């Protein structure tokens, strides 16, 4: 859907001005305390309040896993979803007094589960008289005050995001999401909330929203020419002094950006992906940062501002609604204004409470629709396939993804200039618990193989570039000497590389020698039994995340694009299974790669 420029730019202007000031007074009794001996024998005025925070909810309302069609569970017995968060929020409001609390989020809200997918694609919120997004319904009912934009907000295109924004009773904040032409904020940069105290002096709490510059790469197709995303530090340095000059007593940043100072897109942009810690260090005037994006749990982390020497508290609650952050502020009235005397952070675990029935009953119908959708049978499988060993072995279930991708690209290029070139394909193990059962195969089985909304592209690579690509991918393994014991629990994820950034390539054969250092691990790279010619040309079937620079793999982002598709790879797999009717691993499973040490196979 094309972006309506008039409404887009009109909204941008509003976002840059009025919306942010609409802060909404919060009235009522407050937590207050008096202490003795503050000049002339009068105790100072004191006030305490709490800001609660979530992040990376990724479409989770219920404590439910739509891929297994059962209650969510993991090794640590975490629970997920806004229904659980709602119960925790209710408890804190009861304990502290609702009027002494605010609730914010740090982004990645509308992508990640089959529930959120269904209302973006199957029964889209953008349709005429379309539904209200379940995440908007739940967050409105719970009473959020603001949410920062996450990078995954852009996955379904700007029209879906704008409709979601329209359906929310709270602003979506993004001070560094700018209109590409005017360079003005395309969303509200901030909101100022007035919290009433028993002392007759409101506390003005500013929430500044910052999103991830990687959007320009990861969702290039959706945002190119429409929006730009400058660095978090630069925009915080611009906005924080403005908020202070407007009378903000407390400044909180909600940042969809991790704290580590690293980037997964290398030097493709001059900005840092995980910049929350740098913002705290470099920009004076911030009291607390709600961190998102990294899917880490950071209950409380202090960063000293290099200009003021003041400590800034950071907290990142665990993803999917597994944790709720609490920022507890203690303020004192000094020289005609409220001053933050102390602030700390902690997290609550959502597995300690039951789901809020107000939320589960509100969205029971939507949940039932999605459960019925994911349980539709699309075909059968002759044998069971699983990803359990896929991070270290060439497994048939990953071969299936590569087969579907390669066949789709071959069909798309048939009869054209590149039809005679061999087609290779890349795939990653996104989940170690995905499985295709023997017997009936449902949408949820196929979708579980591919939980991301990636689309498919074809790029042109040389043999030399392919070798570089594989060497880069092979960094994933911890160097393990020949003869040393191999523990699969310690073999992978070297340098904290996630499973989704380890690619295997089908259509060629190769060994990965894990005894060798990074950069010289790919051995015997061959095509049809002969060593790969560095000058040979290949068509590379690759997902759009990788093609646009996600993971910082070499060569592909700059390689010639031969074809691109707008349909999700997940849907392509579902359609392929439906067309075949029956899946037989014996028809496509092959060992194209293996781990070795000095030529001896590890497994």
């Amino acid at each position: 859907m094309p972006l309506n420029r008039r409404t887009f730019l009109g909204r941008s202007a509003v976002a840059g001005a009025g919306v942010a000031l609409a802060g909404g007074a919060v009235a009522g009794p407050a937590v207050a305390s008096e202490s003795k001996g503050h000049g002339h024998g009068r105790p100072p005025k004191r006030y305490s309040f709490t800001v609660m925070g979530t992040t990376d909810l990724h479409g989770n309302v219920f404590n439910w896993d739509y891929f297994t069609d059962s209650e969510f569970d993991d090794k640590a017995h975490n629970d997920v979803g806004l229904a659980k968060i709602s119960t925790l929020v209710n408890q804190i409001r009861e304990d502290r007094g609702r009027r002494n609390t605010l609730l914010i989020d740090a982004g990645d809200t509308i992508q990640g589960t089959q529930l959120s997918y269904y209302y973006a694609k199957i029964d889209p919120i953008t349709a005429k008289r379309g539904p209200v997004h379940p995440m908007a319904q739940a967050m409105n009912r719970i009473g959020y005050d603001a949410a920062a934009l996450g990078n995954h907000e852009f996955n379904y295109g700007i029209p879906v995001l704008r409709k979601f924004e329209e359906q929310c009773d709270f602003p979506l904040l993004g001070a560094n999401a700018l209109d590409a032409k005017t360079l003005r904020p395309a969303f509200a940069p901030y909101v100022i909330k007035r919290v009433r105290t028993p002392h007759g002096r409101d506390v003005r709490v500013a929430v500044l929203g910052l999103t991830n510059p990687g959007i320009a790469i990861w969702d290039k197709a959706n945002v190119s020419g429409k929006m730009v995303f400058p660095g978090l530090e630069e925009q915080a340095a611009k906005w924080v002094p403005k908020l202070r000059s407007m009378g903000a007593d407390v400044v909180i940043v909600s940042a969809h950006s991790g704290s580590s100072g690293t980037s997964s897109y290398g030097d493709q942009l001059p900005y840092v992906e995980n910049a929350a810690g740098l913002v705290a260090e470099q920009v004076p005037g911030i009291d607390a940062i709600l961190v998102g994006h990294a899917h880490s749990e950071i209950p409380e982390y202090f960063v000293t501002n290099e200009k003021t020497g003041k400590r800034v508290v950071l907290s990142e609650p665990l993803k999917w609604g597994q944790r709720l952050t609490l920022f507890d502020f203690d303020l004192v009235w000094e020289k005609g204004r409220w001053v933050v005397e102390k602030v700390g952070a902690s997290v609550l675990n959502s597995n300690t409470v039951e789901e809020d029935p107000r939320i589960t009953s509100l969205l029971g119908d939507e949940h039932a629709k999605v459960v019925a959708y994911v349980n539709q049978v699309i075909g059968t499988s002759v044998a069971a396939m699983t990803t359990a060993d896929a991070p270290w072995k060439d497994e048939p279930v990953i071969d299936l993804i590569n087969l579907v991708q390669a066949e789709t690209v071959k069909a798309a290029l048939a009869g054209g200039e590149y039809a005679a070139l061999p087609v290779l394909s890349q795939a990653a193990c996104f989940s170690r618990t995905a499985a295709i059962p023997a017997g009936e195969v449902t949408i949820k089985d196929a979708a579980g193989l591919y939980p991301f909304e990636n689309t498919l592209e074809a790029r042109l690579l040389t043999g030399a570039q392919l070798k570089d690509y594989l060497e880069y991918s092979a960094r994933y393994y911890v160097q393990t000497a020949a003869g040393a014991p191999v523990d699969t629990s310690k073999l992978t994820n070297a340098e904290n590389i996630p499973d989704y950034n380890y690619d295997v390539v089908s259509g060629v054969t190769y060994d990965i020698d894990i005894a060798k250092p990074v950069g010289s691990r790919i051995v015997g790279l061959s095509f049809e039994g002969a060593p790969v010619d560095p000058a040979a040309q290949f068509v590379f079937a690759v997902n759009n995340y990788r093609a646009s620079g996600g993971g910082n793999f070499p060569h592909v982002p700059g390689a010639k694009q031969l074809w691109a598709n707008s349909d999700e790879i997940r849907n392509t797999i579902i359609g392929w299974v439906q067309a075949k009717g029956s899946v037989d691993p014996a028809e496509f499973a092959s060992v194209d790669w293996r781990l070795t040490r000095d030529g001896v196979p590890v497994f």
Side-chain angles (χ1 to χ4, degrees):
M1 288 174 67
L3 184 64
N4 181 322
R5 236 179 128 261
R6 187 176 299 145
T7 56
F8 176 74
L9 294 175
R11 268 194 195 152
S12 303
V14 172
V19 171
L21 290 167
V26 184
V31 180
S33 64
E34 305 268 332
S35 70
K36 294 177 182 173
H38 189 73
H40 312 297
R42 269 183 296 169
K45 294 167 184 163
R46 283 196 155 78
Y47 174 71
S48 298
F49 74 102
T50 297
V51 177
M52 298 174 281
T54 54
T55 191
D56 296 277
L57 292 167
H58 283 289
N60 284 282
V61 173
F62 296 84
N63 185 40
W64 194 258
D65 183 342
Y66 293 96
F67 293 133
T68 61
D69 197 23
S70 60
E71 190 173 308
F72 176 88
D73 197 23
D74 63 11
K75 284 179 186 169
H77 301 299
N78 288 302
D79 288 346
V80 299
L82 276 170
K84 291 261 182 177
I85 289 294
S86 184
T87 302
L88 290 175
V89 167
N90 292 339
Q91 288 180 356
I92 295 301
R93 285 172 174 162
E94 182 73 23
D95 180 58
R96 315 280 162 94
R98 181 178 180 124
R99 294 172 179 86
N100 310 312
T101 65
L102 296 172
L103 175 60
I104 63 175
D105 183 81
D108 275 5
T109 305
I110 59 169
Q111 175 277 339
T113 62
Q114 288 293 287
L115 180 72
S116 50
Y117 177 79
Y118 189 89
Y119 288 97
K121 292 285 192 174
I122 308 301
D123 184 10
I125 60 172
T126 46
K128 199 173 179 181
R129 291 190 292 278
V132 177
H133 199 289
M135 294 303 284
Q137 291 192 59
M139 293 172 85
N140 289 344
R141 178 65 65 91
I142 295 166
Y144 273 77
D145 293 290
L149 293 163
N151 52 288
H152 284 287
E153 259 64 86
F154 294 84
N155 285 174
Y156 299 118
I158 291 169
V160 169
L161 175 53
R162 286 298 187 194
K163 189 65 182 180
F164 175 69
E165 180 188 30
E166 193 182 294
Q167 293 177 343
C168 290
D169 295 342
F170 51 90
L172 299 183
L173 307 177
N176 62 328
L178 309 182
D179 176 80
K181 294 181 176 64
T182 65
L183 297 185
R184 290 188 180 137
F187 295 84
Y190 61 88
V191 66
I192 293 179
K193 307 294 287 187
R194 298 178 82 95
V195 182
R196 188 151 295 167
T197 77
H199 302 297
R201 306 279 189 166
D202 293 351
V203 178
R204 283 165 293 192
V205 182
V207 181
L208 177 68
L210 295 169
T211 192
N212 206 290
I215 295 164
I217 288 175
W218 305 321
D219 264 306
K220 187 177 180 181
N222 289 328
V223 300
S224 184
K226 299 184 181 91
M227 293 187 198
V228 294
F229 302 87
L232 285 86
E233 309 97 305
E234 167 199 318
Q235 293 301 301
K238 173 184 170 181
W239 286 102
V240 171
K242 284 186 182 178
L243 296 172
R244 289 291 183 185
S245 69
M246 289 163 60
D249 302 301
V250 177
V251 174
I252 299 166
V253 174
S254 183
H256 193 76
S257 180
S259 63
S260 63
T262 58
S263 278
S264 69
Y265 46 70
D267 56 4
Q268 294 171 76
L269 281 178
Y271 312 122
V272 177
E273 176 183 352
N274 296 303
L278 299 175
V279 170
E281 188 179 83
Q282 296 173 18
V283 181
I286 297 168
D287 296 298
I289 301 181
L290 178 66
V291 178
H293 183 61
H295 291 201
S296 302
E297 182 177 349
I298 306 173
E300 182 182 63
Y301 174 54
F302 287 96
V303 173
T304 302
N305 184 272
E306 58 190 17
K307 296 189 173 81
T308 64
K310 182 184 158 187
R311 293 204 315 162
V312 182
V313 66
L314 283 69
S315 180
E316 181 175 8
L318 199 56
K319 65 185 185 296
W320 306 345
Q322 294 179 36
R323 304 288 184 275
L324 176 71
T325 278
L326 305 180
F327 290 109
D328 289 309
F329 288 88
D330 295 332
L331 276 56
V332 63
W333 183 260
E334 276 181 4
K335 297 177 183 172
R337 58 179 292 248
W338 287 110
V339 176
V340 175
E341 191 172 49
K342 186 181 165 209
V343 56
S346 57
V347 295
L348 300 178
N349 192 330
S350 67
N351 74 5
T352 61
V353 295
E354 296 300 314
E355 292 184 312
D356 183 348
R358 287 185 322 147
I359 305 303
T360 53
S361 61
L362 175 72
L363 293 163
D365 290 349
E366 287 85 343
H367 176 66
K369 272 186 197 172
V370 175
V371 168
Y373 163 73
V374 300
N375 280 292
Q376 290 176 49
V377 174
I378 55 172
T380 59
S381 178
V382 171
M385 296 180 279
T386 172
T387 55
D389 293 336
W392 48 84
K393 285 183 187 172
D394 188 345
E395 289 289 299
V397 74
I398 304 296
D399 292 340
L400 174 63
I401 298 172
N402 275 326
L403 172 70
V404 172
Q405 291 181 165
E407 284 192 358
T408 303
V409 166
K410 277 176 192 163
L413 298 180
E417 183 185 350
Y418 300 96
L421 288 181
V423 177
L424 313 180
S425 176
Q426 63 78 224
C429 173
F430 292 126
S431 162
R432 297 190 184 194
T433 57
I436 300 290
E440 288 188 340
V441 178
T442 62
I443 283 177
K444 74 172 185 284
D445 299 325
L449 282 184
Y450 221 106
F452 297 106
E453 273 72 53
N454 295 344
T455 57
L456 188 60
E457 297 191 14
R459 299 278 177 133
L460 190 64
L461 285 189
T462 66
Q465 290 174 328
L466 173 67
K467 174 99 172 348
D468 287 348
Y469 189 98
L470 290 170
E471 287 286 7
Y472 183 84
S473 186
R475 299 174 312 132
Y476 171 76
Y477 294 105
V478 174
Q479 189 170 357
T480 310
V486 174
D487 178 354
T488 54
S489 70
K490 296 173 182 166
L491 179 64
T492 61
N493 308 102
E495 301 173 42
N496 293 316
I497 296 166
D499 290 351
Y500 64 76
N501 273 342
Y502 170 61
D503 285 0
V504 300
V505 173
S506 73
V508 287
T509 56
Y510 56 96
D511 288 348
I512 302 170
D513 191 329
I514 58 171
K516 289 189 162 69
V518 166
S520 56
R521 291 179 168 179
I522 302 301
V523 180
L525 178 60
S526 302
F527 173 71
E528 293 184 341
V532 166
D533 180 350
Q537 287 192 314
F538 296 94
V539 175
F540 196 47
V542 59
N543 69 54
N544 68 307
Y545 174 77
R546 197 66 84 230
S548 60
N552 201 30
F553 277 64
H555 306 305
V556 174
K560 182 180 177 69
Q561 186 190 73
L562 308 181
W563 173 82
N565 190 8
S566 61
D567 198 22
E568 290 97 358
I569 292 167
R570 174 168 60 209
N571 280 351
T572 306
I573 295 169
I574 290 167
W576 188 91
V577 174
Q578 284 175 318
K580 290 280 285 186
S582 177
V583 177
D584 183 356
E587 293 176 4
F588 55 81
S590 63
V591 178
D592 296 328
W593 64 274
R594 60 183 185 167
L595 300 186
T596 61
R597 290 182 294 183
D598 294 348
V600 179
V602 176
F603 300 105

